[in-house]
Amino acid sequence: MPELPEVEVVRRGLERWVAGRTVESVEVLHPRAVRRHPGGGADFAARLGGRTLGVPQRRGKYLWLPLEGRDLSVLGHLGMSGQLLVQPQDSPDEKHLRVRVRFDDDLGTELRFVDQRTFGGLSLHENTPDGLPDVIAHIARDPLDPLFDEGAYHLALRARRTTLKRALLDQSLISGVGNIYADEALWRARLHYERPTATLARPRSAELLGHVRDVMNAALAVGGTSFDSLYVNVNGESGYFDRSLDAYGREDEPCRRCGTPMRRRPWMNRSSYFCPRCQRPARVAS
DNA sequence: ACGGCTACCTGCCCGC
DNA sequence: TGCGGGCAGGTAGCCG
């Protein structure tokens, strides 16, 4: 399940292996993979052919490759199961190969978008004046972005009439946080997922944000070590998931702080994992 | 306007 | 063994 750290690992891999290369041809093998492209698969392939890819960018869980010399980008989202792979041209097609990009050079590799559940996809979009694909203008800066505005984030939390985890998953407030890192950051901050955002004083929101950054940087440190090979990793199985999670997936296992069995609660068609002792609901305001 | 809910999709895993 | 159902969940879009 790729969240920000996994997407950043992919971005680095793309920078290493495809930036600067010119597209020869594009093959769309599944229409759903380009459903966000306004013109459909044939148009996507036609417009990308012959273009040279610039340095890949990322905001939250979105990444995009600007096309050199034009205000146009290839936008990608991995969804739940998407992978961007740089593979030898002669290696067998993956079972869920959705898009293939061939290059006009003799490096012998091609870019492949592979996606089992087809929640992800690729598309072409005009850039806004600040170089962002127009369709993601509503996505907030992510917590690893140097220009992330912490003061504005705190004020937005105070203004919202919602709960903490919803706010963490709201990509228009802060981007890049998914279910896993939301639970991890809340556990680290000892905050209940249903605590009203408006009750959070500035030091507590700053602390929560610090934990979000810490858990993402820890995952990045682990996942970021494997991209320096031909295989542009990318399915999010960085290894971090198995070893370093304190909350996510740990139902009935002892809390690593206090030993109390962790709980799982159905929440918004998914699950929230938390320690019932460390992460108590806030006292009800009178 | 805004919060909140659900459809979209496939494979795995469990229970019967 | 096979099948059905639950579960995984990011995002857009819709509903109230």
Side-chain angles (χ1 to χ4, degrees):
Chain A
M1 289 150 270
E3 297 186 25
L4 184 152
E6 293 74 32
V7 178
E8 174 59 18
V9 171
V10 176
R11 194 203 65 76
R12 293 177 186 180
L14 293 176
E15 182 168 2
R16 169 79 173 79
W17 296 106
V18 307
R21 297 176 74 179
T22 299
V23 175
E24 179 189 79
S25 64
V26 177
E27 198 179 338
V28 176
L29 296 105
H30 194 306
R32 199 174 144 75
V34 293
R35 69 192 179 285
R36 294 191 71 189
H37 181 74
D43 184 72
F44 178 81
R47 294 179 69 186
L48 190 48
R51 306 296 173 202
T52 300
L53 305 178
V55 175
Q57 311 288 311
R58 181 190 55 73
R59 175 176 284 195
K61 303 170 204 170
Y62 282 94
L63 59 82
W64 66 94
L65 296 131
L67 302 185
E68 280 181 4
R70 328 186 92 234
D71 290 325
L72 199 65
S73 293
V74 188
L75 178 66
H77 196 290
L78 302 177
M80 293 294 303
S81 54
Q83 295 173 279
L84 281 163
L85 306 174
V86 176
Q87 298 280 52
Q89 288 164 332
D90 57 5
S91 78
D93 287 1
E94 291 75 9
K95 181 177 180 187
H96 301 294
L97 177 63
R98 309 303 191 196
V99 179
R100 184 201 322 274
V101 178
R102 294 191 175 89
F103 295 105
D104 186 14
D105 54 40
D106 53 8
L107 295 178
T109 60
E110 60 187 31
L111 177 66
R112 298 180 181 180
F113 179 69
V114 176
D115 190 8
Q116 173 208 112
R117 278 185 263 186
T118 67
F119 276 38
L122 303 177
S123 47
L124 280 168
H125 303 280
E126 302 287 332
N127 298 333
T128 62
D130 49 345
L132 197 71
D134 54 12
V135 293
I136 61 164
H138 65 292
I139 301 293
R141 290 186 187 275
D142 62 64
L144 300 189
D145 185 331
L147 295 181
F148 182 85
D149 187 337
E150 215 168 313
Y153 181 64
H154 176 71
L155 291 176
L157 283 186
R158 298 286 302 198
R160 281 294 169 107
R161 292 297 173 264
T162 188
T163 51
L164 267 187
K165 186 163 170 182
R166 282 183 190 281
L168 283 173
L169 297 181
D170 186 338
Q171 306 294 303
S172 70
L173 286 177
I174 184 172
S175 67
V177 184
N179 200 43
I180 294 170
Y181 293 121
D183 280 2
E184 293 300 307
L186 288 168
W187 181 85
R188 289 181 177 215
R190 306 184 193 215
L191 287 166
H192 193 274
Y193 62 102
E194 283 188 317
R195 176 160 170 165
T197 54
T199 68
L200 222 57
R202 176 65 191 260
R204 291 291 274 149
S205 71
E207 188 191 336
L208 176 59
L209 202 51
H211 286 301
V212 171
R213 289 198 178 102
D214 286 351
V215 74
M216 284 183 169
N217 280 322
L220 199 48
V222 175
T225 59
S226 63
F227 76 90
D228 193 24
S229 65
L230 186 58
Y231 178 79
V232 178
N233 164 27
V234 192
N235 65 8
E237 310 290 335
S238 61
Y240 184 76
F241 290 95
D242 296 334
R243 292 192 292 278
S244 306
L245 297 180
D246 292 312
Y248 184 83
R250 299 197 66 241
E251 183 180 19
D252 295 333
E253 292 176 51
C255 169
R256 293 205 168 111
R257 263 193 311 257
C258 75
T260 303
M262 300 285 289
R263 290 202 184 143
R264 179 179 78 90
R265 288 282 167 76
W267 183 84
M268 274 182 70
N269 283 335
R270 56 202 68 186
S271 296
S272 266
Y273 297 88
F274 66 106
C275 170
R277 183 171 173 190
C278 295
Q279 297 169 265
R280 306 206 185 198
R283 282 171 294 139
V284 177
S286 55

